[in-house]
Structure formats: C-alpha cells, structure tokens
C-alpha cells in the first residue's frame, strides 16, 4: 500500500498519533503537501463520511477520525501558501440563541472542514445580531444553524428575518439542522436547506455553494 493509502487508513481508524508520524515521514521524504492532504488525509475522511452516513461508523469514531485528519493538516498547512489551500467555500456555523448543545454542531463543523470548507465557528447561544455581524465581517458563502431544543428552533427564523432586514439574505445560503428540525420546518422559515446529519450537511453545502 502507498503512504497515501496508509495515511487515509490511519484517518479512518482515528489513529491520530499514527497519522501524525506518517505525515511527518511523508513531509521528510518530500511528498507534496497538497497531495498529503488530498490523497491521504481528506481521502480518509471522505470514506468516514460515507460510512457515517451509512450507519457503519458512530459519532465518537468520526470525532477521532476528524482529530487524526486535523492533526495532519496542522502539520502540512505551514508548508502550503494560503492561496493554494484547498477551500470549498467559507461557512459560518453556530448553535442558535438560548441553546448550549454543541456536540452535533461540532461534528458538522469537523465533517465540513474535512471536506475542505473554511469553517468559522461562532459557538453556542448565538443571537440573530451576532450572526448578522459575523456575515458582514466574514462574508461567508453559507451559514449553518444548529438547534437541539424545540424552544430555541424559532431563533433560526429570527436570524433569517434579521439577515433580510439588513439586505444580506441573498448573499448567503442558509442551512439548518438539529434533532427537532425537519425539511418542513426549514421550508417554512425560508432556509435553503436542511440536513439530518453531518455528512448530509456537507453534501448539501457542496451542492448549494457549487
Ligand atoms: Co440536552 N436536551 N438539555 N443537554 N440533550 C436534549 C436535546 C433532549 C432531547 C433530552 C431529552 O429530554 N430527551 C431535550 C430537548 C427536548 C426538546 O426540546 N424537545 C434536552 C433538554 C430539555 C435540555 C435542557 C433544557 C435540560 C435542563 O437543563 N432542564 C438543557 C438546555 C440547555 C440549553 O441548551 N440552554 C440541556 C442541557 C444539556 C447538556 C448541557 C447537559 C448536554 C449538552 C452538552 C453539549 O452539547 N456540549 C445535553 C445533551 C448531551 C443532550 C442529549 C442527551 C444529546 C444531544 C447530543 O449531543 N446528541 C439530547 C438527547 C438526545 O438527543 N438523545 C438532549 C449527539 C449529537 C451528535 O446529535 O446534536 O442531534 P445532534 O446532532 C446530529 C443531528 O441533529 C445533525 O447532525 C448531528 C449528527 O451528525 N445536526 C445538524 C446537528 N446540528 C446540525 C446543523 C446542521 C445540519 C445537521 O446544519 C447547520
């Protein structure tokens, strides 16, 4: 097996120490940093995304894989010019106002980062004004909102209304998710899309931004 395949395999297994040491070996041997990312680290994470979607991998395993991938990326990133870093687009993500649940949101973030999105994490308990300010500051192509409580999901609607008031609604795609959210709710509040899980959120964003 090539070093690239071995690296992808270490990411799939969530072996971050192994991924770090093989990444270092590949850097020392002069492998192209972008190829290390694309053919090793991200290739592994793509498999994880597919397996997670199919129910063959679970949240803790995905988190370990994402950690392995991030550790490797941290090592090769300084070797790549900023302009050459692969990016699928810039996405802001946050858990809505009043809601402190962030495990699912972080999983979405990690999965999307693995797919090459530049992710800006606003954190939890994010009110509509903070989303609006962040859109003005970062000019993302998409916003992701997460809610786990039936009492907080309406804040997604308020955020979309706030973006409309500021004339920013059409500048970004909006995706929503979280346990109480459904496609019907997403349609009702005027979001561009709903995703039931992190892998689906990644695919959805790829489609919307492309
Ligand atoms: Co809370 N909690 N919690 N909780 N909690 C739930 C959500 C609840 C269903 C438990 C229950 O009663 N059975 C219930 C909500 C009931 C409701 O509204 N219908 C509940 C409650 C009531 C509360 C409190 C009010 C409890 C209290 O204090 N009385 C309180 C609220 C605090 C607040 O937010 N203001 C509270 C607090 C907490 C903890 C702090 C203890 C902790 C959160 C820790 C943390 O996140 N850092 C917690 C937890 C852990 C849970 C449960 C047990 C697990 C949630 C979780 O992390 N799931 C949850 C019960 C349950 O779901 N079984 C529960 C794993 C995670 C990977 O899944 O977040 O669904 P999930 O994310 C999925 C998808 O939804 C999707 O992708 C992920 C998978 O790939 N997804 C997106 C998520 N965001 C997305 C965004 C997208 C796309 C997809 O696009 C942007």
């Amino acid at each position: 097996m090539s070093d690239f395949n071995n690296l992808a395999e270490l990411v799939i297994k969530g072996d971050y120490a192994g991924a770090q040491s093989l990444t270092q070996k590949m850097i020392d041997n002069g492998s192209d940093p972008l190829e290390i990312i694309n053919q090793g680290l991200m290739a592994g994470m793509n498999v994880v995304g597919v397996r997670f979607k199919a129910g063959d991998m679970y949240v803790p395993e995905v988190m370990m894989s994402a950690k392995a991938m991030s550790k490797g990326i941290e090592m090769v990133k300084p070797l790549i010019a900023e302009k050459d870093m692969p990016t699928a687009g810039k996405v802001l993500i946050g858990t809505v106002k009043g809601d402190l649940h962030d495990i699912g949101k972080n999983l979405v973030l990690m999965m999307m980062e693995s797919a090459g999105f530049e992710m800006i994490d606003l954190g939890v308990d994010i009110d509509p004004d903070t989303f609006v300010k962040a859109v003005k500051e970062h000019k993302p192509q998409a916003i992701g909102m997460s809610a786990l409580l039936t009492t907080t999901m309406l804040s997604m609607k308020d955020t979309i209304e706030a973006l409309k008031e500021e004339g920013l609604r059409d500048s970004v795609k909006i995706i929503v998710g979280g346990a109480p959210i459904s496609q019907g709710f997403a349609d009702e509040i005027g979001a561009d899309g709903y995703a039931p899980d992190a892998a689906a959120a990644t695919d959805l964003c790829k489609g919307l931004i492309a």
Side-chain angles (χ1 to χ4, degrees), residues 8-158:
E9 212 42 57
L10 289 165
V11 169
I12 295 166
K13 282 189 194 140
D15 179 351
Y16 64 89
Q20 271 178 309
S21 84
L22 182 53
T23 301
Q24 190 57 56
K25 183 185 142 205
M26 291 169 82
I27 293 171
D28 295 342
N29 289 344
S31 294
D32 180 333
L34 270 179
E35 286 180 5
I36 296 178
I37 293 182
N38 290 328
Q39 294 176 35
L41 300 164
M42 280 194 183
M45 206 57 204
N46 286 340
V47 174
V48 172
V50 172
R51 290 190 187 168
F52 177 64
K53 210 170 176 178
D56 295 335
M57 278 181 85
Y58 300 101
V59 172
E61 295 165 300
V62 174
M63 288 183 149
M64 291 302 283
S65 292
K67 184 172 173 182
M69 185 214 59
S70 309
K71 292 279 177 197
I73 289 190
E74 267 169 35
M75 294 168 73
V76 286
K77 212 171 168 182
L79 309 173
I80 301 172
E82 195 67 30
K83 67 175 176 44
D84 292 332
M85 270 303 282
T87 171
K90 197 193 280 186
V91 180
L92 277 180
I93 192 162
T95 302
V96 298
K97 186 181 173 192
D99 202 322
L100 303 176
H101 296 85
D102 66 355
I103 298 170
K105 184 263 296 170
N106 291 343
L107 195 59
V108 173
L109 186 150
M110 285 191 282
M111 199 70 107
M112 292 189 62
E113 210 159 51
S114 313
F117 287 97
E118 181 189 347
M119 300 300 293
I120 296 166
D121 184 14
L122 299 180
V124 296
D125 191 17
I126 303 303
D127 61 31
D129 281 353
T130 305
F131 273 109
V132 166
K133 279 190 197 124
V135 168
K136 286 182 183 166
E137 184 187 343
H138 298 287
K139 302 186 174 42
Q141 275 89 47
I143 302 179
M145 287 188 273
S146 179
L148 264 287
L149 299 171
T150 45
T151 48
T152 59
M153 56 197 271
L154 277 175
S155 182
M156 291 177 166
K157 184 173 192 278
D158 297 341

Side-chain angles (χ1 to χ4, degrees), residues 183-195:
Q183 184 63 57
F185 179 73
D187 294 341
E188 198 182 305
I189 63 172
D192 295 301
Y194 155 75

Side-chain angles (χ1 to χ4, degrees), residues 159-170:
T159 302
I160 293 176
E161 293 306 321
L163 286 165
K164 277 186 191 160
E165 277 165 28
E166 293 289 324
L168 293 168
R169 172 64 186 94
D170 294 334

